[in-house]
């Protein structure tokens, strides 16, 4: 079945540093890919998505490009802020038409002033 | 649109007791999902409904777990004879129907945290 692997955390960066969180996937067919974010004490929120190869999802300065040839969907941001500290989850749709998402284990980002 | 609501937010119970969680999805969403999240892990799929029909259940959903969505609106997740291993955050999410522009985008509630003593 479909699966996703994220880089382990925590990732600790200084404010204004460049961020990359790696995500690779295994899938049959053509899944949609997502990044969700979970701020402390809150529920998961959709950060960005891409529905087909070479699509770039972007939101709040974060970007990720759907790379079919490397089966990757790495999350990037050019200049992180303290307020970006959260847990980031990569996800993909499962096979079939259920809309069900399969999540990675999450990567904790800590941004220090 | 008030988002996805879950109740209660926190539940502490003793081993062997039954607990029930409620989820109110976004009204226009006909798909509803339950997930479980333990500390340091990503959400794991439990079950999903399209309208009132329960269309898929994970192997994680033992016989002690039952979910319903009787009128295609709110849903309940009941855990009977709770065990310490059931301690987790139970997440509910909803989405638009397949084929719509918002399909496959899950909107999550804040979750119901269960602690079994």
């Amino acid at each position: 079945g479909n699966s996703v692997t994220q880089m382990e955390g925590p990732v600790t960066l200084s404010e204004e540093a460049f961020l990359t969180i790696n995500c690779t996937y295994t899938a049959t067919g053509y899944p949609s890919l997502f990044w969700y974010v979970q701020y402390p004490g809150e529920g998961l929120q959709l950060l960005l998505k891409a529905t087909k190869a070479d699509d770039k999802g972007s939101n709040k300065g974060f970007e990720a490009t759907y790379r079919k040839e490397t089966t990757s969907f790495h999350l990037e941001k050019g200049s992180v802020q303290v307020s970006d500290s959260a847990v980031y989850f990569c996800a993909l749709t499962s096979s079939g038409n259920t809309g069900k998402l399969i999540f990675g284990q999450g990567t904790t980002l800590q941004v220090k002033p | 649109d008030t988002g996805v609501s879950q109740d209660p937010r926190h539940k502490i119970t003793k081993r062997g007791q039954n607990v029930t969680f409620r989820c109110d999805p976004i009204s226009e969403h006909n798909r509803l999902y339950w997930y479980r999240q333990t500390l340091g892990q990503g959400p794991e799929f439990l079950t999903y409904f399209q309208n009132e029909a329960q269309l898929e259940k994970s192997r994680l959903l033992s016989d002690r777990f039952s979910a319903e969505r009787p009128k295609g609106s709110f849903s309940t997740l009941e855990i009977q004879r709770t065990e310490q291993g059931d301690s987790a955050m139970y997440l509910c999410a909803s989405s638009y129907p397949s084929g719509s522009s918002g399909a496959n985008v899950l909107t999550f509630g804040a979750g119901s945290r269960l602690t079994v003593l």
Side-chain angles (χ1 to χ4, degrees), chain A residues 3-62:
Chain A
S3 65
V4 61
T5 301
Q6 290 182 235
M7 64 185 286
E8 290 194 18
V11 174
T12 302
L13 297 173
S14 297
E15 205 164 22
E16 300 184 2
F18 184 85
L19 168 71
T20 300
I21 300 178
N22 290 338
C23 171
T24 56
Y25 67 90
T26 302
T28 55
Y30 305 97
S32 295
L33 302 174
F34 304 82
W35 278 99
Y36 277 79
V37 59
Q38 189 171 35
Y39 297 102
E42 299 184 15
L44 279 83
Q45 303 173 25
L46 177 67
L47 182 59
L48 53 84
K49 68 172 185 174
T51 57
K52 60 184 186 296
D54 300 325
D55 266 3
K56 177 185 284 187
S58 61
N59 186 26
K60 299 181 181 179
F62 291 90

Side-chain angles (χ1 to χ4, degrees), chain B residues 16-77:
Chain B
Q17 298 294 304
N18 299 344
V19 296
T20 299
F21 301 114
R22 176 180 170 123
C23 172
D24 287 90
I26 293 172
S27 56
E28 299 86 4
H29 289 179
N30 77 336
R31 288 180 162 180
L32 186 147
Y33 305 82
W34 286 99
Y35 283 80
R36 180 171 68 187
Q37 186 179 21
T38 53
L39 197 62
Q41 300 298 315
E44 297 173 298
F45 170 79
L46 293 178
T47 189
Y48 122 85
F49 292 84
Q50 183 158 296
N51 299 311
E52 66 277 6
Q54 187 173 19
L55 297 184
E56 186 175 342
K57 293 195 293 186
S58 163
R59 284 170 290 181
L60 293 175
L61 213 64
S62 76
D63 291 346
R64 296 184 298 105
F65 288 70
S66 62
E68 295 182 341
R69 194 183 183 198
K71 296 183 180 179
S73 56
F74 73 92
S75 175
T76 58
L77 177 68

Side-chain angles (χ1 to χ4, degrees), chain A residues 34 36 97-101 104, chain B residues 31 33 35 42 56 98 104 106:
Chain A
F34 304 82
Y36 277 79
N97 192 28
T98 64
K100 178 177 74 175
L101 296 186
Chain B
R31 288 180 162 180
Y33 305 82
Y35 283 80
E56 186 175 342
S98 170
N104 296 337
L106 270 57

